[in-house]
Amino acid sequence: MAPSAEEDWSDSDEEVGSEVETSVLLGVPDGPITSVNELADAAVSRIGGHPAFLLANDPPISSCQCKICSLPMELLVQMWCPFENSPMDRALYVWGCANPGCQRKDGSVRAWRGLRYNEKYAAKLEAKLARKSAQEEAKRQVEQAKQASKANPFSLKVSSNTKNPFGLGAQIFGDTSSGANDMKNDQLSEDEESEAESSTSEQSLLTAMTNTTLSESPWTAAPAYLPPLYLSTASEYLPPQPKTKISSSVEVSEPSVEGGRDISWAFEPYENSLEVDQVFERFTKRVGYEGEQCIRYDLNGTPLPFSSDKIFESLFPTPVSDSLPVTEPDFKIVLPQKRIYTSSDGVLSPCKICKGKRIFECQLMPNLINILRNIESRPSKTLSDEDRRTAVQQTLKGGSEKGMEWGTCMIFSCKNDCRVDEEGKEENDVWREELVLVQWDV
């Protein structure tokens, strides 16, 4: 319903009111990890440190090598992020090179996802989906019975395959001979499963833990930011959008809501303007609401671009503008053009294995660099003399100071979260590199 034109609308950008929750999860640092068990648990998200892998065997050490200098990179973050209704345990790993000579070059930040088939959870998931399907079928039959009774209200004939259309009354009066008993049994089975899941939640997570340490692995030779920090998540809250004065004759659309959260901001288009860098202004404004954020996680959502560079141009292309009228009588108002996020195959390269579409998953934020600067980067004591000499020479070539210079790193993952090999066969252990687009600091 359109607001009244006489209503007092605020033009202030900081309107007083309750905040709204977006679809974004923010990753923030939460103290050092000291437990040996948690350091070996792939389900514990972290900043820095050594990776904890899901795979039965460690992936090749070349996964963390910088494509510019070929030296091992430090782990920036590890995130536990299984897909919903997937039988696969899943973790995302991101490495970054801090050598000055590698900055602003593709390949100095790399992301990989590790998958491992969780047999116990897969069985629970299959039973859950089967029960849900049965419940939906039961609802469908009830709806069919209701529609049939509406078509002929004087007919009391009920098919033997159709549940009692008066099931509600039967439940109220305690008739256990009808479909009410089936519903009760369904509820009992759900309660039993919930209790079982609660009692075995710790046991389920053990499938994500590595039973072996990295003590005999080549990964111990890689440098790392130590000690690692917990990466905790929190929902993003934003102040409500400011209200503007508007005519009562103008139709106002309702805000987009998904899962009880306001996501209208995610679809807010960018003005196509050449004045100030509105992209950077919007970035700093949104990040300013929670300055501690190191990660923005929004699977299949919209990335928050850092600046109006070539990456922004590709993800938020210039729209086709309406042509201006050439004759004087054809008066026409041309509204400012808007830029809207696109993830078409022409912009993002598809998955190299299944050729599936890539979707935005998360992005690293500038505060992560600040956090890592406060953690010491320590090369392993097991590095050979030749490796140490190479590392020193590489540092001298690039300068005396090391540091990452990106504004944000966007990770785009396979939408299918594929676990097939090149021959199309499903694998229980999967190690795949994902697409990283880096917007460098201005």
Side-chain angles (χ1 to χ4, degrees):
M1 174 177 163
S4 172
E6 289 76 23
E7 188 173 352
D8 184 19
W9 293 90
S10 171
D11 292 326
S12 171
D13 190 49
E14 300 296 335
E15 180 180 325
V16 178
S18 59
E19 294 183 328
V20 293
E21 183 180 1
T22 74
S23 59
V24 178
L25 289 177
L26 302 179
V28 295
D30 195 18
I33 305 175
T34 57
S35 169
V36 176
N37 289 336
E38 291 185 336
L39 288 172
D41 189 350
V44 176
S45 299
R46 67 199 68 187
I47 298 174
H50 288 292
F53 295 114
L54 284 167
L55 312 184
N57 298 313
D58 292 346
I61 189 66
S62 59
S63 301
C64 76
Q65 288 180 342
C66 173
K67 291 185 177 181
I68 311 303
C69 66
S70 299
L71 289 176
M73 300 184 289
E74 291 91 346
L75 178 71
L76 305 183
V77 292
Q78 174 179 333
M79 290 170 279
W80 174 251
C81 46
F83 278 13
E84 187 177 3
N85 293 329
S86 170
M88 306 298 291
D89 291 330
R90 184 176 186 273
L92 191 66
Y93 307 81
V94 185
W95 284 273
C97 185
N99 291 330
C102 301
Q103 303 307 301
R104 302 183 180 275
K105 297 178 181 178
D106 294 338
S108 59
V109 180
R110 302 177 68 180
W112 296 75
R113 62 179 164 98
L115 304 177
R116 186 172 187 178
Y117 185 72
N118 189 327
E119 187 174 354
K120 291 184 178 179
Y121 182 74
K124 291 182 179 180
L125 182 61
E126 184 178 358
K128 177 182 176 181
L129 294 177
R131 185 170 55 256
K132 182 179 179 181
S133 177
Q135 291 174 347
E136 291 177 350
E137 175 63 19
K139 290 180 180 178
R140 187 185 66 82
Q141 292 183 2
V142 171
E143 288 298 324
Q144 286 181 344
K146 288 181 179 179
Q147 293 298 327
S149 63
K150 288 180 180 179
N152 186 358
F154 300 102
S155 175
L156 294 178
K157 183 179 180 180
V158 180
S159 170
S160 60
N161 294 328
T162 305
K163 290 191 176 182
N164 184 5
F166 304 104
L168 178 60
Q171 293 176 50
I172 292 176
F173 295 102
D175 184 0
T176 59
S177 62
S178 66
N181 196 37
D182 294 335
M183 296 181 65
K184 181 178 179 181
N185 290 334
D186 288 340
Q187 183 62 44
L188 285 173
S189 63
E190 288 184 4
D191 293 341
E192 289 172 357
E193 182 192 9
S194 177
E195 183 178 353
E197 287 184 356
S198 176
S199 62
T200 60
S201 59
E202 182 176 354
Q203 183 177 0
S204 298
L205 279 179
L206 290 178
T207 61
M209 290 188 64
T210 51
N211 295 324
T212 58
T213 65
L214 294 174
S215 57
E216 298 179 358
S217 168
W219 286 94
T220 58
Y225 294 105
L226 299 173
L229 306 178
Y230 287 105
L231 180 63
S232 298
T233 56
S235 297
E236 181 188 47
Y237 291 90
L238 301 177
Q241 292 291 330
K243 298 179 180 179
T244 56
K245 295 180 181 180
I246 189 171
S247 171
S248 59
S249 62
V250 177
E251 182 179 355
V252 179
S253 60
E254 295 295 330
S256 302
V257 177
E258 181 179 282
R261 297 174 295 185
D262 179 10
I263 60 172
S264 58
W265 69 270
F267 302 100
E268 179 185 344
Y270 284 88
E271 293 282 357
N272 187 22
S273 173
L274 296 178
E275 297 177 0
V276 297
D277 191 343
Q278 295 183 2
V279 178
F280 182 72
E281 291 292 326
R282 183 182 178 187
F283 181 91
T284 55
K285 180 179 179 180
R286 191 172 301 281
V287 174
Y289 294 127
E290 178 49 73
E292 290 296 313
Q293 61 181 279
C294 296
I295 305 292
R296 293 177 65 85
Y297 192 93
D298 189 15
L299 184 64
N300 203 15
T302 303
L304 180 64
F306 178 74
S307 61
S308 53
D309 59 1
K310 291 182 179 179
I311 291 179
F312 171 76
E313 292 287 343
S314 63
L315 296 177
F316 296 81
T318 304
V320 178
S321 59
D322 294 335
S323 58
L324 290 172
V326 294
T327 59
E328 186 174 342
D330 296 331
F331 180 75
K332 185 178 183 181
I333 298 176
V334 180
L335 298 175
Q337 297 301 304
K338 306 286 187 177
R339 293 173 180 262
I340 301 177
Y341 171 65
T342 177
S343 58
S344 61
D345 293 339
V347 176
L348 302 174
S349 59
C351 175
K352 294 181 179 179
I353 304 299
C354 71
K355 309 305 178 184
K357 181 180 179 181
R358 290 193 186 274
I359 57 175
F360 173 74
E361 181 167 3
C362 64
Q363 63 189 107
L364 312 186
M365 304 303 286
N367 187 49
L368 179 60
I369 297 179
N370 297 329
I371 298 298
L372 294 173
R373 281 175 180 168
N374 295 327
I375 306 177
E376 183 181 358
S377 176
R378 304 176 185 175
S380 171
K381 294 181 180 180
T382 59
L383 280 175
S384 66
D385 292 339
E386 183 177 354
D387 290 336
R388 290 178 182 276
R389 191 179 305 108
T390 301
V392 171
Q393 290 176 350
Q394 189 67 34
T395 302
L396 292 177
K397 289 180 181 179
S400 57
E401 295 184 1
K402 296 180 65 176
M404 293 172 288
E405 299 177 2
W406 42 261
T408 188
C409 303
M410 307 175 186
I411 292 98
F412 298 85
S413 303
C414 173
K415 184 178 181 179
N416 302 326
D417 202 30
C418 64
R419 63 184 184 106
V420 296
D421 58 19
E422 295 180 353
E423 298 178 354
K425 297 180 181 179
E426 288 190 343
E427 298 179 311
N428 289 337
D429 285 357
V430 178
W431 186 247
R432 296 280 190 272
E433 185 166 14
E434 299 293 13
L435 177 64
V436 179
L437 295 183
V438 181
Q439 287 189 290
W440 301 100
D441 195 3
V442 293

